[in-house]
């Protein structure tokens, strides 16, 4: 079983202005994030615009990424797809190039939404791979909520050992923590409190623009230095509140660009922030620049 504790950075995919992937910059960003001390990199995450990447692009990103990371931190690859055979094919390919774990959405877009149907979906994948599966609870995007009861049932499978919880319902999050499974927080605005409550770690999009601060926050919680953790959190929070309510991925990528990580470009159909949104984001980031100065 992979140990996915700590900061698993949901890594951006850097794009050129025309929407092509900048693979050279992708490798440069890996170096920056590994140097910042992150415990894992999630390649092809939602923040990496997985829905708008082709299967071949994902395969290349995962192969390049695993090779560049070279065991210095965990490699998690998202292998979600609508077609069952494609999920398994993507998953086996990611495993073959060195993925430590696979992040997989439930069967969204008119797939089975009953608990038996979701369980059987993951059960088939579980039997086809030999690395950890990270289920993904993000009902605001998929329309499917993984109940704590279902998560506990899924945790009885051989490889289904984690769930990424991005729903933002802290009550459900704590119910997950009462099961036998391992929980990774995915809601930016509850990160500190999820870690304090016992989440094993996080899969964190906002870490793209504040990797060192994210690692520091985790280390402070582990050390039970909650006063300093809360002080750091207060400097993080304005930008986290902004990105959670604004267009998420364009906000994270723009924030990352402003702090020296990436191009800020998105791939269609996503669009960059408006001038008004950009001004508000800059204001929300001000406390983080004060930390760095």
């Amino acid at each position: 079983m992979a140990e996915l504790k700590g900061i698993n950075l949901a890594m951006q995919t850097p794009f050129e202005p025309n929407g092509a992937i900048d693979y050279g910059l992708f490798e440069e960003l890996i170096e920056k994030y590994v140097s910042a001390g992150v415990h894992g990199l999630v390649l092809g995450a939602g923040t990496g615009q997985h829905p708008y990447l082709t299967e071949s692009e994902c395969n290349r990103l995962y192969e390049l990424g695993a090779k560049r990371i070279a065991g210095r931190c965990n490699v998690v690859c998202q292998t979600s797809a609508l077609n069952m055979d494609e999920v398994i094919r993507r998953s086996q390919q990611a495993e073959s190039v060195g993925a430590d774990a696979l992040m997989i959405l439930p069967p969204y877009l008119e797939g089975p939404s009953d608990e038996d149907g979701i369980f059987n979906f993951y059960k088939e994948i579980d039997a086809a791979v030999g690395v950890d599966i990270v289920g993904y609870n993000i009902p605001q995007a998929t329309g499917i909520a993984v109940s704590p009861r279902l998560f506990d049932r899924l945790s009885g499978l051989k490889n289904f050992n984690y769930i990424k919880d991005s729903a933002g319902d802290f009550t459900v999050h704590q119910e997950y923590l009462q099961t036998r499974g391992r929980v990774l927080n995915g809601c930016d605005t509850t990160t500190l409190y999820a870690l304090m409550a016992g989440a094993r770690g996080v899969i964190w999009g906002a870490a793209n623009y504040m990797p060192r601060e994210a690692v520091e926050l985790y280390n402070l919680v582990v050390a039970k230095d909650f006063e300093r953790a809360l002080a750091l959190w207060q400097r993080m929070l304005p930008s986290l509140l902004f990105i959670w309510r604004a267009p998420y991925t364009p906000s994270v990528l723009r924030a990352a660009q402003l702090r020296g990580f990436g191009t800020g470009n998105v791939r269609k159909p996503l669009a960059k922030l408006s001038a008004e949104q950009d001004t508000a984001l800059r204001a929300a980031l001000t406390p983080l620049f004060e930390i760095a100065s």
Side-chain angles (χ1 to χ4, degrees), residues 113-128:
S113 57
D114 63 290
E115 294 199 351
D116 285 343
I118 297 170
F119 179 84
N120 289 332
F121 168 80
Y122 281 116
K123 181 181 179 181
E124 186 168 342
I125 301 167
D126 187 89

Side-chain angles (χ1 to χ4, degrees), residues 82 107-113 142 144:
L82 290 174
Y108 59 99
L109 196 61
E110 300 187 357
S113 57
T142 62
I144 298 174

Side-chain angles (χ1 to χ4, degrees), residues 52-73:
Y52 311 124
L53 301 175
T54 67
E55 182 176 355
S56 61
E57 286 175 329
C58 285
N59 288 344
R60 185 176 178 192
L61 285 171
Y62 300 165
E63 184 173 2
L64 284 174
K67 184 176 181 180
R68 172 66 67 169
I69 292 165
R72 292 177 291 169
C73 70

Side-chain angles (χ1 to χ4, degrees), residues 78-81 84 87-88 91 102-108 112 114-129 131-138 142 144-146 150-151 153-155 157-164:
Q78 177 163 204
T79 56
S80 303
M84 190 77 208
V87 177
I88 292 174
S91 298
L102 310 167
M103 186 170 73
I104 304 174
L105 287 162
Y108 59 99
D114 63 290
E115 294 199 351
D116 285 343
I118 297 170
F119 179 84
N120 289 332
F121 168 80
Y122 281 116
K123 181 181 179 181
E124 186 168 342
I125 301 167
D126 187 89
V129 300
V131 294
D132 287 273
I133 295 171
V134 181
Y136 195 169
N137 185 54
I138 184 167
T142 62
I144 298 174
V146 178
L150 176 57
F151 175 47
R153 182 183 174 192
L154 286 164
S155 298
L157 296 172
K158 179 182 64 173
N159 297 305
F160 195 107
N161 294 313
Y162 291 91
I163 194 164
K164 176 190 178 185

Side-chain angles (χ1 to χ4, degrees), residues 96-247:
S96 75
V97 300
D100 297 295
L102 310 167
M103 186 170 73
I104 304 174
L105 287 162
Y108 59 99
L109 196 61
E110 300 187 357
S113 57
D114 63 290
E115 294 199 351
D116 285 343
I118 297 170
F119 179 84
N120 289 332
F121 168 80
Y122 281 116
K123 181 181 179 181
E124 186 168 342
I125 301 167
D126 187 89
V129 300
V131 294
D132 287 273
I133 295 171
V134 181
Y136 195 169
N137 185 54
I138 184 167
Q140 63 269 39
T142 62
I144 298 174
V146 178
S147 70
R149 180 180 65 181
L150 176 57
F151 175 47
D152 189 62
R153 182 183 174 192
L154 286 164
S155 298
L157 296 172
K158 179 182 64 173
N159 297 305
F160 195 107
N161 294 313
Y162 291 91
I163 194 164
K164 176 190 178 185
D165 179 24
S166 297
D169 186 329
F170 197 54
T171 297
V172 172
H173 192 84
Q174 291 178 94
E175 289 175 329
Y176 282 152
L177 290 168
Q178 305 307 307
T179 71
R180 52 184 159 166
R182 298 182 175 197
V183 183
L184 302 171
N185 184 62
C187 173
D188 299 76
T189 57
T190 63
T191 302
L192 172 62
Y193 309 106
L195 289 171
M196 292 173 66
R200 185 62 56 106
V202 299
I203 295 180
W204 201 358
N208 278 281
Y209 65 82
M210 50 179 178
R212 294 188 186 281
E213 292 88 349
V215 172
E216 181 183 358
L217 183 77
Y218 174 76
N219 289 338
L220 288 170
V221 173
V222 169
K224 294 184 168 38
D225 192 342
F226 300 130
E227 183 175 352
R228 288 178 62 201
L230 186 58
L232 174 57
W233 180 248
Q234 292 302 321
R235 292 172 173 82
M236 294 172 150
L237 188 57
S239 65
L240 296 175
L241 292 172
F242 177 88
I243 66 173
W244 198 250
R245 296 301 187 194

